[in-house]
Amino acid sequence: MMLTVKSREKTVFEGEVTSITSYNSKGKFDVLPLHSNFISLIGEKIIIQPVVGPTQEIQLDNAVLRVIENTIQIFIG
């Protein structure tokens, strides 16, 4: 899956991932390959598992997450 995480100032992360974990009003959730199209307000943090490299964690207050056809976009703030 391709993930792009952007803030107002810059692109925070861009690359291929095997999964991400975040939190919305219902609690903790994961986005895995072939996830259905999905949009949600998220908070707390994003845990990113890149295809190559160590797990990364991005702290945030609020963001919008959108999943469309194995592409994940997160807009912070």
Side-chain angles (χ1 to χ4, degrees):
M1 298 181 301
M2 288 304 299
L3 170 65
T4 304
V5 180
K6 292 186 176 186
S7 70
R8 290 184 177 133
E9 298 81 31
K10 63 181 180 176
T11 299
V12 178
F13 179 92
E14 189 167 34
E16 194 170 351
V17 299
T18 57
S19 69
I20 67 157
T21 300
S22 194
Y23 299 81
N24 63 15
S25 63
K26 302 290 183 181
K28 183 177 176 180
F29 67 93
D30 297 313
V31 177
L32 302 169
L34 302 176
H35 195 286
S36 61
N37 292 345
F38 178 74
I39 189 165
S40 180
L41 296 174
I42 60 172
E44 195 172 323
K45 63 184 170 182
I46 309 162
I47 302 167
I48 302 167
Q49 181 57 60
V51 170
V52 176
T55 300
Q56 297 181 33
E57 193 170 294
I58 300 171
Q59 300 294 320
L60 52 91
D61 291 324
N62 58 50
V64 175
L65 174 142
R66 181 171 69 173
V67 180
I68 298 177
E69 298 177 2
N70 263 351
T71 299
I72 307 164
Q73 296 176 311
I74 299 174
F75 303 97
I76 299 173

